[in-house]
């Protein structure tokens, strides 16, 4: 990784955290589910990144969001889980050379990228909302909240990735 790439990652991390904390944490459509766009940072980290660095980065990202969201350790757990499973999900849903690529519309293709991102979002949100609820007493409400948050998060991820993809095409 060169210095430009590291600076770009830091800027992306700061922007996604800021949008999550300042805007998205305040959105609670019909008091059901909150979109978690910040996980796009973990989703888009290079798949060949050192595993320990990936887990530590994901833990720290979850910790920052937990601090601003009053969700003690819940995002940490969900972020570390998707970081841990990232390689297997990339290998299963990405192109044949997925483990040497940085996930994006350009490298994975739109369809494969959305399948990969969807799997990561479902895992993160399912664990997050289960841990947040603390039980399965209201399983219907839990499933509804999780499904709504997954839908909104995927719409935001698609929008951001499509914008980046169109921007990169226009730069050529």
């Amino acid at each position: 990784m060169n210095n430009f790439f590291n600076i770009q990652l830091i800027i992306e991390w700061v922007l996604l955290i800021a949008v999550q904390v300042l805007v998205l944490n305040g959105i609670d459509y019909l008091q059901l589910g909150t979109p978690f766009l910040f996980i796009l940072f973990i989703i888009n980290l290079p798949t060949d990144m050192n595993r320990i660095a990936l887990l530590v980065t994901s833990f720290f990202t979850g910790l920052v969001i937990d601090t601003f969201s009053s969700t003690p350790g819940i995002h940490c757990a969900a972020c570390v889980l998707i970081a841990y499973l990232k390689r297997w999900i990339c290998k299963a849903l990405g192109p044949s050379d997925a483990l040497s690529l940085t996930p994006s519309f350009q490298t994975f293709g739109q369809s494969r990228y959305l399948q990969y991102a969807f799997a990561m979002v479902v895992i993160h949100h399912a664990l997050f909302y289960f841990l947040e609820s603390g039980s399965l007493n209201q399983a219907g409400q839990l499933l509804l909240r999780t499904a709504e948050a997954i839908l909104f998060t995927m719409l935001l991820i698609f929008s951001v990735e499509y914008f980046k993809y169109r921007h990169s095409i226009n730069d050529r």
Side-chain angles (χ1 to χ4, degrees):
M1 287 186 182
N2 59 30
N3 287 337
F4 173 75
F5 189 66
N6 289 332
I7 292 169
Q8 184 179 354
L9 276 177
I10 291 168
I11 291 170
E12 184 177 331
W13 184 83
V14 168
L15 285 173
L16 287 171
I17 295 294
V19 167
Q20 185 67 48
V21 169
L22 299 173
V23 178
L24 297 177
N25 281 354
I27 296 175
D28 198 4
Y29 185 74
L30 298 177
Q31 299 180 346
L32 291 174
T34 303
F36 298 123
L37 181 61
F38 78 93
I39 66 171
L40 181 60
F41 177 76
I42 299 167
I43 290 170
N44 286 350
L45 283 173
T47 51
D48 61 354
M49 184 176 181
N50 177 298
R51 196 161 186 81
I52 302 234
L54 176 64
L55 292 171
V56 169
T57 301
S58 299
F59 176 82
F60 182 70
T61 301
L63 183 64
V64 169
I65 295 297
D66 280 334
T67 301
F68 288 105
S69 304
S70 300
T71 52
I74 298 174
H75 279 296
C76 281
C79 288
V80 169
L81 178 63
I82 64 172
Y84 181 76
L85 297 174
K86 181 178 174 87
R87 283 183 182 236
W88 289 300
I89 295 170
C90 276
K91 193 173 183 181
L93 299 176
S96 59
D97 59 346
L99 296 181
S100 63
L101 301 172
T102 299
S104 70
F105 269 15
Q106 293 171 323
T107 58
F108 276 33
Q110 291 178 6
S111 177
R112 285 183 185 224
Y113 178 83
L114 290 174
Q115 290 173 10
Y116 156 73
F118 181 74
M120 297 282 279
V121 168
V122 166
I123 292 167
H124 175 276
H125 286 37
L127 182 61
F128 174 82
Y129 282 109
F130 173 73
L131 291 175
E132 184 185 51
S133 73
S135 71
L136 292 175
N137 289 341
Q138 297 177 345
Q141 182 72 10
L142 176 65
L143 285 174
L144 184 61
R145 268 185 96 181
T146 305
E148 184 180 59
I150 289 168
L151 175 68
F152 288 143
T153 301
M154 285 305 298
L155 285 172
L156 289 172
I157 286 174
F158 175 80
S159 300
V160 168
E161 284 301 310
Y162 185 75
F163 176 76
K164 286 174 24 181
Y165 177 71
R166 295 298 297 169
H167 188 271
S168 69
I169 288 175
N170 291 337
D171 285 346
R172 290 184 193 170

